[in-house]
Amino acid sequence: MPTDIFGIYKTCERRIPIGKWAELRIMAVKDPDALIDAIDPQAFADDERLPYWAEIWPASIAMGIHFFEHPLAPGTEVLELGCGTGVAGIAAARAGLRVTACDYEADALSFARHNAALNGVSDMMTFRPLDWRTPDLNRRFDLIAGSDVTYERPDHDPILAFLLQTLSPGGTFLLSDPDRSSAPEFIGLMKDAGFIHTPQPRRIRYEGNLTRVTVHRFVHPVGPTAEKGD
């Protein structure tokens, strides 16, 4: 990890179990709540950015488990939205996928890149900044994944627009969500856009807490029939 990141954050190494398949070594911020307390009010007013990336969310663990429980062909490419410290993307790489890990925050990408090296999957991952409100990608992906990325309702329309622009026809978007109150609204938006939706609930135990998480599978509409919805 770059020395400037070590200088900014107090860090610790956590061991994150991905079901029975893997245990990840993740360098993380020791006290993410302290980052929220230190936010400049003016900076927050400008963009309403909170350091959610610094948390290790149960949804990312659930996504990691999903990649092992539903294996894909080795080398399958996946674009990850909001990679944070890298848990879900690194699990995907351990499961044999090639991952393009994206985040809005440069520091998150630094942590994720460092953690990929810790877990021996740097050769399976690339990292890039991405704002889904103004994406600058020039290609489509058959598989896009995001863990706990729809908690803010103002992000729903931009994420849908991003998926319609970036997901291949017939491709899949995986959303891992801890059953937040905002989830039904996003699911409805996706269905209205013609996506076929399949939920898979599970329970994730992390640091003594049991969290209900649902991995939602949305299949991109193909053709006029699918575009009308299900």
Side-chain angles (χ1 to χ4, degrees), residues 49-76:
R49 292 165 66 176
L50 289 172
Y52 295 124
W53 65 266
E55 293 277 2
I56 294 175
W57 300 100
S60 65
I61 299 173
M63 183 70 81
I65 293 172
H66 184 88
F67 286 126
F68 281 96
E69 286 191 346
H70 302 273
L72 298 167
T76 296

Short mmCIF file of all heavy atoms in Angstrom, two decimals, residues 49-76:
data_model
loop_
_atom_site.label_atom_id
_atom_site.label_comp_id
_atom_site.label_asym_id
_atom_site.label_seq_id
_atom_site.Cartn_x
_atom_site.Cartn_y
_atom_site.Cartn_z
N ARG A 49 -20.60 12.98 0.02
CA ARG A 49 -19.80 11.76 0.01
C ARG A 49 -19.47 11.35 1.44
O ARG A 49 -18.95 12.12 2.23
CB ARG A 49 -18.49 12.00 -0.77
CG ARG A 49 -18.71 12.19 -2.24
CD ARG A 49 -17.50 12.78 -2.93
NE ARG A 49 -16.36 11.87 -2.93
CZ ARG A 49 -15.22 12.17 -3.55
NH1 ARG A 49 -15.08 13.31 -4.20
NH2 ARG A 49 -14.22 11.31 -3.53
N LEU A 50 -19.79 10.11 1.77
CA LEU A 50 -19.43 9.52 3.05
C LEU A 50 -18.49 8.35 2.79
O LEU A 50 -18.60 7.68 1.76
CB LEU A 50 -20.68 9.04 3.80
CG LEU A 50 -21.59 10.14 4.36
CD1 LEU A 50 -22.87 9.54 4.90
CD2 LEU A 50 -20.87 10.93 5.45
N PRO A 51 -17.58 8.06 3.72
CA PRO A 51 -16.57 7.01 3.49
C PRO A 51 -17.12 5.60 3.73
O PRO A 51 -16.57 4.82 4.51
CB PRO A 51 -15.47 7.35 4.50
CG PRO A 51 -16.19 8.02 5.63
CD PRO A 51 -17.32 8.80 4.98
N TYR A 52 -18.20 5.26 3.02
CA TYR A 52 -18.77 3.93 3.16
C TYR A 52 -17.77 2.86 2.74
O TYR A 52 -17.85 1.71 3.20
CB TYR A 52 -20.02 3.80 2.28
CG TYR A 52 -21.18 4.69 2.69
CD1 TYR A 52 -21.74 5.58 1.78
CD2 TYR A 52 -21.72 4.63 3.97
CE1 TYR A 52 -22.81 6.38 2.13
CE2 TYR A 52 -22.79 5.44 4.33
CZ TYR A 52 -23.33 6.31 3.40
OH TYR A 52 -24.40 7.11 3.77
N TRP A 53 -16.85 3.21 1.85
CA TRP A 53 -15.89 2.24 1.33
C TRP A 53 -15.03 1.63 2.42
O TRP A 53 -14.50 0.52 2.26
CB TRP A 53 -14.98 2.91 0.29
CG TRP A 53 -14.11 4.00 0.86
CD1 TRP A 53 -14.38 5.33 0.90
CD2 TRP A 53 -12.84 3.84 1.50
NE1 TRP A 53 -13.37 6.02 1.51
CE2 TRP A 53 -12.40 5.13 1.89
CE3 TRP A 53 -12.01 2.74 1.78
CZ2 TRP A 53 -11.19 5.35 2.54
CZ3 TRP A 53 -10.81 2.95 2.42
CH2 TRP A 53 -10.40 4.24 2.80
N ALA A 54 -14.87 2.35 3.55
CA ALA A 54 -13.95 1.89 4.59
C ALA A 54 -14.52 0.76 5.44
O ALA A 54 -13.78 0.08 6.17
CB ALA A 54 -13.56 3.07 5.49
N GLU A 55 -15.82 0.54 5.36
CA GLU A 55 -16.46 -0.56 6.10
C GLU A 55 -16.31 -1.88 5.34
O GLU A 55 -16.23 -1.89 4.11
CB GLU A 55 -17.95 -0.28 6.30
CG GLU A 55 -18.25 0.90 7.21
CD GLU A 55 -18.21 0.51 8.69
OE1 GLU A 55 -17.92 -0.67 8.99
OE2 GLU A 55 -18.46 1.39 9.52
N ILE A 56 -16.30 -2.97 6.06
CA ILE A 56 -16.42 -4.29 5.44
C ILE A 56 -17.87 -4.71 5.65
O ILE A 56 -18.31 -4.99 6.76
CB ILE A 56 -15.45 -5.31 6.06
CG1 ILE A 56 -14.01 -4.88 5.73
CG2 ILE A 56 -15.73 -6.72 5.52
CD1 ILE A 56 -12.95 -5.73 6.38
N TRP A 57 -18.62 -4.72 4.56
CA TRP A 57 -20.06 -4.94 4.63
C TRP A 57 -20.40 -6.42 4.45
O TRP A 57 -19.83 -7.10 3.61
CB TRP A 57 -20.77 -4.12 3.55
CG TRP A 57 -20.54 -2.65 3.69
CD1 TRP A 57 -19.65 -1.90 2.98
CD2 TRP A 57 -21.17 -1.77 4.62
NE1 TRP A 57 -19.70 -0.59 3.39
CE2 TRP A 57 -20.63 -0.48 4.41
CE3 TRP A 57 -22.14 -1.95 5.61
CZ2 TRP A 57 -21.03 0.63 5.14
CZ3 TRP A 57 -22.54 -0.84 6.34
CH2 TRP A 57 -22.00 0.43 6.11
N PRO A 58 -21.36 -6.93 5.24
CA PRO A 58 -21.79 -8.32 5.05
C PRO A 58 -22.23 -8.62 3.62
O PRO A 58 -22.07 -9.74 3.14
CB PRO A 58 -22.96 -8.46 6.04
CG PRO A 58 -22.66 -7.46 7.11
CD PRO A 58 -22.03 -6.30 6.40
N ALA A 59 -22.76 -7.61 2.92
CA ALA A 59 -23.19 -7.83 1.54
C ALA A 59 -22.04 -8.24 0.65
O ALA A 59 -22.21 -9.03 -0.29
CB ALA A 59 -23.86 -6.57 0.99
N SER A 60 -20.83 -7.70 0.91
CA SER A 60 -19.69 -8.07 0.09
C SER A 60 -19.27 -9.52 0.35
O SER A 60 -18.82 -10.22 -0.57
CB SER A 60 -18.51 -7.12 0.34
OG SER A 60 -18.02 -7.23 1.66
N ILE A 61 -19.43 -9.96 1.58
CA ILE A 61 -19.14 -11.37 1.91
C ILE A 61 -20.14 -12.28 1.21
O ILE A 61 -19.77 -13.32 0.64
CB ILE A 61 -19.16 -11.58 3.44
CG1 ILE A 61 -18.09 -10.69 4.11
CG2 ILE A 61 -18.95 -13.04 3.79
CD1 ILE A 61 -18.15 -10.70 5.63
N ALA A 62 -21.42 -11.89 1.25
CA ALA A 62 -22.45 -12.67 0.56
C ALA A 62 -22.17 -12.77 -0.94
O ALA A 62 -22.35 -13.83 -1.55
CB ALA A 62 -23.83 -12.06 0.80
N MET A 63 -21.73 -11.67 -1.53
CA MET A 63 -21.40 -11.70 -2.95
C MET A 63 -20.23 -12.65 -3.21
O MET A 63 -20.24 -13.43 -4.18
CB MET A 63 -21.03 -10.30 -3.45
CG MET A 63 -20.75 -10.23 -4.94
SD MET A 63 -22.22 -10.46 -5.96
CE MET A 63 -22.91 -8.79 -5.89
N GLY A 64 -19.23 -12.60 -2.35
CA GLY A 64 -18.09 -13.51 -2.50
C GLY A 64 -18.51 -14.96 -2.45
O GLY A 64 -18.05 -15.78 -3.25
N ILE A 65 -19.39 -15.30 -1.51
CA ILE A 65 -19.91 -16.66 -1.41
C ILE A 65 -20.66 -17.04 -2.67
O ILE A 65 -20.54 -18.17 -3.18
CB ILE A 65 -20.79 -16.80 -0.16
CG1 ILE A 65 -19.95 -16.66 1.11
CG2 ILE A 65 -21.54 -18.14 -0.16
CD1 ILE A 65 -20.76 -16.60 2.39
N HIS A 66 -21.43 -16.10 -3.21
CA HIS A 66 -22.22 -16.37 -4.41
C HIS A 66 -21.33 -16.79 -5.57
O HIS A 66 -21.67 -17.71 -6.34
CB HIS A 66 -23.02 -15.12 -4.80
CG HIS A 66 -23.93 -15.32 -5.96
ND1 HIS A 66 -25.23 -15.77 -5.84
CD2 HIS A 66 -23.73 -15.15 -7.30
CE1 HIS A 66 -25.79 -15.86 -7.02
NE2 HIS A 66 -24.90 -15.49 -7.94
N PHE A 67 -20.18 -16.16 -5.72
CA PHE A 67 -19.30 -16.51 -6.83
C PHE A 67 -18.77 -17.94 -6.72
O PHE A 67 -18.51 -18.58 -7.74
CB PHE A 67 -18.11 -15.54 -6.88
CG PHE A 67 -18.48 -14.17 -7.40
CD1 PHE A 67 -18.17 -13.04 -6.66
CD2 PHE A 67 -19.12 -14.01 -8.61
CE1 PHE A 67 -18.50 -11.78 -7.13
CE2 PHE A 67 -19.47 -12.76 -9.09
CZ PHE A 67 -19.15 -11.64 -8.35
N PHE A 68 -18.63 -18.44 -5.49
CA PHE A 68 -18.20 -19.83 -5.31
C PHE A 68 -19.36 -20.81 -5.46
O PHE A 68 -19.20 -21.89 -6.02
CB PHE A 68 -17.53 -20.00 -3.95
CG PHE A 68 -16.11 -19.52 -3.89
CD1 PHE A 68 -15.82 -18.26 -3.43
CD2 PHE A 68 -15.07 -20.33 -4.33
CE1 PHE A 68 -14.51 -17.80 -3.38
CE2 PHE A 68 -13.76 -19.89 -4.30
CZ PHE A 68 -13.48 -18.62 -3.82
N GLU A 69 -20.51 -20.43 -4.95
CA GLU A 69 -21.67 -21.34 -5.00
C GLU A 69 -22.25 -21.46 -6.41
O GLU A 69 -22.90 -22.45 -6.74
CB GLU A 69 -22.76 -20.86 -4.04
CG GLU A 69 -22.44 -21.13 -2.58
CD GLU A 69 -23.63 -20.89 -1.67
OE1 GLU A 69 -24.62 -20.28 -2.12
OE2 GLU A 69 -23.57 -21.33 -0.51
N HIS A 70 -22.02 -20.44 -7.22
CA HIS A 70 -22.52 -20.44 -8.60
C HIS A 70 -21.33 -20.19 -9.53
O HIS A 70 -21.21 -19.10 -10.12
CB HIS A 70 -23.60 -19.37 -8.78
CG HIS A 70 -24.76 -19.55 -7.85
ND1 HIS A 70 -25.83 -20.36 -8.17
CD2 HIS A 70 -24.99 -19.06 -6.61
CE1 HIS A 70 -26.70 -20.34 -7.15
NE2 HIS A 70 -26.22 -19.55 -6.20
N PRO A 71 -20.45 -21.16 -9.64
CA PRO A 71 -19.19 -20.95 -10.39
C PRO A 71 -19.43 -20.68 -11.87
O PRO A 71 -20.36 -21.21 -12.47
CB PRO A 71 -18.44 -22.27 -10.18
CG PRO A 71 -19.49 -23.29 -9.85
CD PRO A 71 -20.55 -22.54 -9.11
N LEU A 72 -18.57 -19.83 -12.40
CA LEU A 72 -18.58 -19.49 -13.82
C LEU A 72 -17.30 -20.00 -14.46
O LEU A 72 -16.36 -20.41 -13.77
CB LEU A 72 -18.69 -17.97 -13.99
CG LEU A 72 -19.97 -17.35 -13.45
CD1 LEU A 72 -19.84 -15.83 -13.39
CD2 LEU A 72 -21.17 -17.75 -14.29
N ALA A 73 -17.27 -19.99 -15.77
CA ALA A 73 -16.08 -20.48 -16.48
C ALA A 73 -14.86 -19.67 -16.05
O ALA A 73 -14.93 -18.44 -15.92
CB ALA A 73 -16.29 -20.36 -17.98
N PRO A 74 -13.74 -20.34 -15.81
CA PRO A 74 -12.51 -19.62 -15.44
C PRO A 74 -12.19 -18.54 -16.46
O PRO A 74 -12.31 -18.75 -17.66
CB PRO A 74 -11.45 -20.72 -15.43
CG PRO A 74 -12.21 -21.98 -15.16
CD PRO A 74 -13.53 -21.80 -15.85
N GLY A 75 -11.83 -17.37 -15.95
CA GLY A 75 -11.50 -16.26 -16.83
C GLY A 75 -12.67 -15.39 -17.21
O GLY A 75 -12.48 -14.38 -17.90
N THR A 76 -13.89 -15.75 -16.77
CA THR A 76 -15.05 -14.89 -17.03
C THR A 76 -14.80 -13.49 -16.46
O THR A 76 -14.31 -13.35 -15.34
CB THR A 76 -16.31 -15.49 -16.40
OG1 THR A 76 -16.60 -16.74 -17.01
CG2 THR A 76 -17.50 -14.56 -16.55
#
